[in-house]
């Protein structure tokens, strides 16, 4: 199996902008098709050289990266160390999302002064609904700071589930789960609207 640096060098030689792809041991995932310049012709050339490396052109993954980039561009500092605090598939998701930033911003993934946590948009909404159910003031629980970042805080959990073919647990509170299900079925845009309200509360509360 070729090493990561060999793969990155090969992609660059083909004219691919590696700041917009994620490279793992067995896959190259396209974060942004237009910016990466990873055309079908370049994919064919790459695959002929490295047939064991899968090129992933998932549209839902690109949407996830687009949403995550808005958070990371405003909170991630160049050349910082980022420690991923997550387990299983969510640790994998964060690593894949952050991997291109080792080239964009020169960050180091591993131990560091910044902690990346896996809460999604749904987790933020569920946490606020639980505040309401418990009679507590509603707070924005997953707001990124200079030392704690939530790259997936604007990403619906359903997008990650679709990409990975998995199921993400959002809440253990049955009342909150019923609220989430009701809003999902009747008010499709409620997450983004409520997120904007939570951000306003976080900035002005």
């Amino acid at each position: 199996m070729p090493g990561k640096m060999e793969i990155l060098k090969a992609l660059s030689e083909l004219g691919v902008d590696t700041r917009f792809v994620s490279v793992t041991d067995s896959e190259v995932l396209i974060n942004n098709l237009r910016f990466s310049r990873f055309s079908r012709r370049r994919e064919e050339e790459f695959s002929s050289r490295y047939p064991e490396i899968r090129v992933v052109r998932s549209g839902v993954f690109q949407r996830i990266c687009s949403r995550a980039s808005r958070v990371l561009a405003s909170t991630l500092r160049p050349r910082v160390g980022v420690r991923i605090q997550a387990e299983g598939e969510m640790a994998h998701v964060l690593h894949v999302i952050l991997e291109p930033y080792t080239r964009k911003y020169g960050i180091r993934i591993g131990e560091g002064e910044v902690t990346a946590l896996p809460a999604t948009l749904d987790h933020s909404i569920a946490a606020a609904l639980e505040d309401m159910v418990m009679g507590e003031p509603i707070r924005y629980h997953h707001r990124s700071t200079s030392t704690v970042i939530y790259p997936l805080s604007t990403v619906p959990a359903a997008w990650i589930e679709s990409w990975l073919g998995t199921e993400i647990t959002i809440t253990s509170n049955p009342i909150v789960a019923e609220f989430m299900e009701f809003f999902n079925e009747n008010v499709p845009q409620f997450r983004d609207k409520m997120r904007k309200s939570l951000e306003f509360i976080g900035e002005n509360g």
Side-chain angles (χ1 to χ4, degrees), residues 113-187:
E113 60 270 40
V114 177
T115 301
L117 295 170
T120 68
L121 173 58
D122 293 71
H123 290 96
S124 294
I125 302 307
L129 290 175
E130 188 162 347
D131 287 340
M132 182 180 69
V133 169
M134 300 300 292
E136 301 290 338
I138 293 177
R139 297 185 293 122
Y140 187 15
H141 291 262
H142 302 128
R143 182 183 181 188
S144 295
T145 68
S146 60
T147 57
V148 178
I149 58 173
Y150 298 90
L152 306 172
S153 61
T154 62
V155 177
W159 291 8
I160 299 171
E161 292 173 334
S162 175
W163 167 41
L164 294 179
T166 188
E167 185 174 343
I168 298 171
T169 300
I170 302 302
T171 178
S172 59
N173 187 312
I175 298 175
V176 172
E178 286 185 19
F179 271 120
M180 295 286 288
E181 184 177 355
F182 172 81
F183 285 126
N184 283 338
E185 293 177 356
N186 296 280
V187 191

